[in-house]
């Protein structure tokens, strides 16, 4: 089937997923880009529908269609129709509707035989920051991301784009601060709060055991409950005039310090 009309009801239904309310109502989100879709498929995601524009398709992604599950509906569209669906510059002709990412905290499990490494972000507002942290978590082998009191949804297309699809490969739970702290404490996971007011540098603490590194909202940082309940508070040295780093950059530094320490064991 090839869609040529800008008024096609399938097109209209997909465009509603560009809005958070539409995503929540349908339980679906948009995954644009061959690389992002390939990572989602590798993580076991089964797209409901794929909109494909052959005129925009790049040779490197030619084999992607054969990897789609048998039940996935593939709809070919014209470049004009795809332009109404796309939300990124220089689209490559691939866009899918897929189940919203994220799972309940109770469904997360810690690895056996080695210390867990988790990343926690509280009330992060910008989709680009959340996506960047997911990309770091995937690259560093973080076992799970706990998104506490989220200000943006995991299904936001800009989260998926900035994570390069890692939102599907990294086990991610949506939860509250109170629930996250209780879950971590019950499992003996060290909680490490990142805050500019901490006395100790992040390189001065032992991150080789089971640890959860927590970062907070872009403007206010971690909330009082996190700061008071955390086992350790650490800071990143700042030599300039600003008092903090971008939250995604901070998370990357802290996570890779834990990776560095564990590699030396």
């Amino acid at each position: 089937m090839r869609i040529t009309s800008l008024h096609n009801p399938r097109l209209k239904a997909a465009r509603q997923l560009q809005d958070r309310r539409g995503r929540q109502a349908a339980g679906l989100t948009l995954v644009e880009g061959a690389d992002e879709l390939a990572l989602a498929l590798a993580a076991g995601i089964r797209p409901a529908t794929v909109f494909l524009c052959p005129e925009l398709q790049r040779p490197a992604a030619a084999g992607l269609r054969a990897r789609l599950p048998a039940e996935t509906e593939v709809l070919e569209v014209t470049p004009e129709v795809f332009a109404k669906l796309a939300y990124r510059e220089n689209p490559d002709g691939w866009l899918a509707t897929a189940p919203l990412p994220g799972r309940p905290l109770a469904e997360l499990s810690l690895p056996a035989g080695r210390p867990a490494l988790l990343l926690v972000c509280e009330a992060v507002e910008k989709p680009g920051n959340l996506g960047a942290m997911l990309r770091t978590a995937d690259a560093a082998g973080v076992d799970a991301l706990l998104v506490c009191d989220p200000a943006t949804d995991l299904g936001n297309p800009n989260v998926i784009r900035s994570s390069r699809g890692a939102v599907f490969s990294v086990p991610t739970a949506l939860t509250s601060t109170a629930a996250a702290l209780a879950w971590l404490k019950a499992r003996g996971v060290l909680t490490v709060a990142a805050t500019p007011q901490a006395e100790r540098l992040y390189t001065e603490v032992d991150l080789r055991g089971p640890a959860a590194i927590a970062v907070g909202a872009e403007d206010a940082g971690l909330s009082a409950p996190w700061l008071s309940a955390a086992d350790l508070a650490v800071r990143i040295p700042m030599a300039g005039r600003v008092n903090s780093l971008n939250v995604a950059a901070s998370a990357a530094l802290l996570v890779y310090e834990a990776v560095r320490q564990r590699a030396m064991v």
Side-chain angles (χ1 to χ4, degrees), residues 72-170:
T72 298
E73 181 182 33
V74 179
L75 301 175
E76 292 193 0
V77 301
T78 64
E80 293 76 18
V81 169
F82 197 87
K84 290 293 184 181
L85 289 170
Y87 53 85
R88 57 192 289 180
E89 297 180 0
N90 302 316
D92 62 6
W94 289 92
L95 186 142
T97 64
L100 286 172
R103 65 187 72 179
L105 184 59
E107 293 183 7
L108 284 184
S109 59
L110 299 182
R114 61 174 177 82
L117 176 59
L118 300 100
L119 178 60
V120 179
C121 62
E122 182 192 34
V124 170
E125 297 179 355
K126 296 179 180 179
N129 282 334
L130 183 54
M133 283 188 277
L134 281 158
R135 193 170 176 180
T136 293
D138 178 85
V142 168
D143 294 300
L145 173 68
L146 276 57
V147 182
C148 300
D149 305 321
T152 187
D153 65 312
L154 285 173
N156 187 305
N158 288 318
V159 171
I160 296 171
R161 177 179 61 180
S162 56
S163 77
R164 295 301 300 272
V167 68
F168 298 110
S169 64
V170 177

Side-chain angles (χ1 to χ4, degrees), residues 8 14-15 33 48 52 62 66 78 99 118 129 160 169 182 185 203 241 258:
N8 185 283
R15 290 189 66 189
L52 174 62
T78 64
L118 300 100
N129 282 334
I160 296 171
S169 64
K185 182 177 181 180
T203 53
R241 297 185 179 182

Side-chain angles (χ1 to χ4, degrees), residues 117 190 192 202 205-209 211 213 254 257-258 261-262:
L117 176 59
L190 181 80
V192 182
Y202 74 104
V205 300
D206 188 348
L207 300 174
R208 292 173 296 177
I213 296 167
L254 295 164
E257 172 61 17
Q261 291 185 17
R262 291 163 189 234

Side-chain angles (χ1 to χ4, degrees), residues 33-57:
D35 290 344
E36 289 81 352
L37 179 56
L39 189 56
L41 291 171
I45 301 301
R46 307 183 77 81
T49 303
V50 169
F51 295 90
L52 174 62
C53 181
E55 292 88 343
L56 298 175
Q57 186 179 1

